[in-house]
Amino acid sequence: MSFILCSSNIRKILSCTSVKTIVSLKMGACSKDVTKIKLNNGDEMPAIALGTYLGFDENGVVQSRDHLLRDVILKAIDQGYRHFDTASIYETEGEIGEAINMKIDEGVVKRVDVFITTKLWNTNHERDQVTVSLRKTLLKMGLDYVDLFLMHWPMGLNDDYTYSDVDYLDTWRGLEDAQRLGLTRSIGVSNFNREQIDRILQECSVRPAALQIEVHPQITQQDLVEYAQNQGLVVMGYSPFGSLVKRHGLEMSGPRIDDPILTSIAKKYSKTTPQVVLRWLVDRNIVPVAKTVNSTRLKENIDIFDFKLTQDEILKINNFNEFKRYTLPSFWQNHQYYPFEKVDNPLPNPFVKN
Ligand SMILES: NC(=O)c1ccc[n+]([C@@H]2O[C@H](COP(=O)([O-])OP(=O)(O)OC[C@H]3O[C@@H](n4cnc5c(N)ncnc54)[C@H](OP(=O)(O)O)[C@@H]3O)[C@@H](O)[C@H]2O)c1
């Protein structure tokens, strides 16, 4: 889940990295070549994922209405997307599964052609709850397995959203159970810091295959990406557009869609600035997790596999780094396993009613 926080007013949102084998893949009805990245267990992950978190409002997580998301996924498959990112907290798993099953029935794809990433929510961190939760997900999706199951956050919570002291290592053992049972092909973590990843690596029976973290021009995550990639984890970057786009209706400080540096790079390749930013992630061997429900932007965002940035262009984009997170659940910062830096004025907890 993601929590998008802005300085004056919380708009919270649930939301809450040697990986070099590249395989060219012709996709479906469209001819775009989407590369793939090899995971540490030999499986391959398509190098861009479609994000499916629809946001958070006063009623909680925004729900897909009138099969909006299912129809987006149907179009996305036609346009060549093969990797979908969801989480139990997004409440989008059902429509993703429905769309994929429709396309399998139509003969457009086989199950093995599609890569599904989902995430364990914080209230299910007890070891024996992990497989229970994933089985519920699979039931909702109408599928036998997912491709990647991530621990969404290192912090466990009780059902009433008070802090649970369950150790994320116990939770990790639950993810290992899920993989052994064949409920997921690979397992990984999200929103973990370096020390937490290191602890998992020291103690695990199954090494994490992937790390999903926030990566965009304003938070380039060079150290963490390098560390994770050196340990054989594939890094997935969420919220890749950063300040280029409005975040839940709000303009964020930082480079915009018409930023002159990004625009000059985009002109050189006859691309748009969002495409340049997505390619900046791909050229760093990071899998962008980009969300759109708009048909034109769906096409635009996957059309990034016919050009490559120079090292100098990558560095120019790296220079936007301000270590700025949009997903910063500071209301959990006193949790013993909170992964990020603490702030002076934590936000009120949107999950707990006063
Ligand atoms: N692991 C975690 O804790 C975590 C946290 C946050 C997010 N995520 C995952 O990452 C995904 C993406 O993150 P995100 O939604 O925060 O950020 P994002 O993908 O960087 O930005 C999404 C926003 O950009 C707009 N957009 C998409 N393509 C565009 C384009 N080509 N030009 C202009 N605007 C464009 C979308 O609007 P339209 O839909 O109208 O196009 C939407 O408002 C989520 O959906 C979720 O799957 C994971």
Side-chain angles (χ1 to χ4, degrees):
M1 158 166 207
S2 255
F3 306 86
I4 292 197
L5 315 173
C6 82
S7 49
S8 54
N9 186 8
I10 176 174
R11 289 285 184 263
K12 56 261 159 200
I13 5 315
L14 283 189
S15 107
C16 326
T17 293
S18 316
V19 209
K20 300 235 164 84
T21 306
I22 305 257
V23 176
S24 183
L25 174 84
K26 290 262 184 218
M27 297 227 163
C30 96
S31 60
K32 290 184 181 70
D33 289 315
V34 176
T35 53
K36 287 182 160 190
I37 298 189
K38 211 178 252 304
L39 301 177
N40 59 10
N41 63 359
D43 280 5
E44 289 176 337
M45 176 191 282
I48 183 167
L50 181 65
T52 64
Y53 174 55
L54 298 178
F56 189 90
D57 62 19
E58 56 286 355
N59 303 313
V61 177
V62 174
Q63 309 277 326
S64 168
R65 293 214 176 133
D66 302 325
H67 304 289
L68 168 106
L69 189 70
R70 182 196 70 185
D71 294 346
V72 169
I73 305 293
L74 291 172
K75 272 188 208 142
I77 291 174
D78 287 342
Q79 291 177 1
Y81 286 86
R82 294 291 182 272
H83 184 177
F84 301 97
D85 180 79
T86 181
S88 67
I89 197 74
Y90 302 168
E91 299 189 24
T92 54
E93 292 171 321
E95 290 199 17
I96 295 173
E98 188 185 350
I100 289 170
N101 279 316
M102 285 167 76
K103 286 293 174 188
I104 291 173
D105 290 347
E106 280 177 35
V108 175
V109 287
K110 300 193 191 69
R111 173 65 188 87
V112 289
D113 301 329
V114 183
F115 193 103
I116 301 162
T117 297
T118 193
K119 312 183 194 86
L120 175 80
W121 188 235
N122 305 359
T123 51
N124 295 306
H125 269 214
E126 295 285 353
R127 179 172 179 172
D128 58 2
Q129 282 303 306
V130 177
T131 49
V132 173
S133 171
L134 183 51
R135 285 187 199 281
K136 282 185 189 159
T137 283
L138 293 171
L139 203 61
K140 276 187 217 157
M141 299 189 108
L143 297 173
D144 299 332
Y145 69 92
V146 293
D147 296 274
L148 177 63
F149 190 42
L150 301 175
M151 196 185 320
H152 207 146
W153 290 91
M155 305 86 74
L157 299 171
N158 298 310
D159 286 342
D160 62 358
Y161 276 75
T162 54
Y163 297 166
S164 141
D165 56 10
V166 61
D167 187 332
Y168 57 82
L169 274 180
D170 286 337
T171 313
W172 182 254
R173 293 185 181 107
L175 273 86
E176 293 177 338
D177 297 338
Q179 187 184 27
R180 271 185 225 107
L181 289 165
L183 305 175
T184 181
R185 296 218 30 107
S186 302
I187 50 177
V189 293
S190 174
N191 297 307
F192 274 52
N193 64 32
R194 180 179 171 143
E195 290 68 33
Q196 293 169 330
I197 297 167
D198 202 37
R199 187 162 169 248
I200 296 261
L201 289 171
Q202 304 283 335
E203 302 285 335
C204 65
S205 305
V206 179
R207 288 173 73 85
L211 167 70
Q212 187 175 122
I213 47 172
E214 184 170 348
V215 187
H216 49 72
Q218 286 198 294
I219 182 153
T220 57
Q221 303 263 29
Q222 275 136 293
D223 292 348
L224 188 55
V225 168
E226 190 183 353
Y227 168 73
Q229 290 180 338
N230 284 339
Q231 296 296 331
L233 283 77
V234 170
V235 178
M236 303 170 68
Y238 70 72
S239 305
F241 299 120
S243 58
L244 264 66
V245 301
K246 281 189 178 174
R247 306 238 137 237
H248 303 272
L250 299 172
E251 297 230 334
M252 300 297 182
S253 62
R256 296 277 156 76
I257 206 152
D258 60 352
D259 176 87
I261 293 172
L262 296 175
T263 303
S264 75
I265 300 172
K267 266 194 185 152
K268 174 178 163 191
Y269 298 107
S270 303
K271 295 287 178 186
T272 65
T273 54
Q275 288 173 318
V276 166
V277 167
L278 293 175
R279 186 69 215 189
W280 166 75
L281 277 99
V282 169
D283 284 334
R284 297 176 61 206
N285 289 314
I286 301 171
V287 174
V289 185
K291 174 258 172 189
T292 182
V293 292
N294 173 286
S295 302
T296 309
R297 293 192 280 276
L298 263 181
K299 243 189 194 146
E300 177 183 342
N301 294 348
I302 203 172
D303 184 17
I304 56 165
F305 293 95
D306 58 353
F307 76 114
K308 194 171 172 36
L309 300 182
T310 64
Q311 198 54 32
D312 183 52
E313 289 160 349
I314 292 171
L315 292 176
K316 274 186 181 158
I317 301 177
N318 289 350
N319 280 340
F320 285 114
N321 191 27
E322 288 180 22
F323 304 94
K324 186 163 185 174
R325 299 181 194 281
Y326 296 127
T327 294
L328 186 69
S330 56
F331 39 82
W332 287 333
Q333 70 176 13
N334 292 325
H335 193 294
Q336 63 178 323
Y337 298 128
Y338 184 72
F340 303 149
E341 51 289 336
K342 291 191 179 187
V343 295
D344 290 340
N345 296 304
L347 290 151
N349 193 334
F351 299 103
V352 178
K353 301 234 177 336
N354 293 318

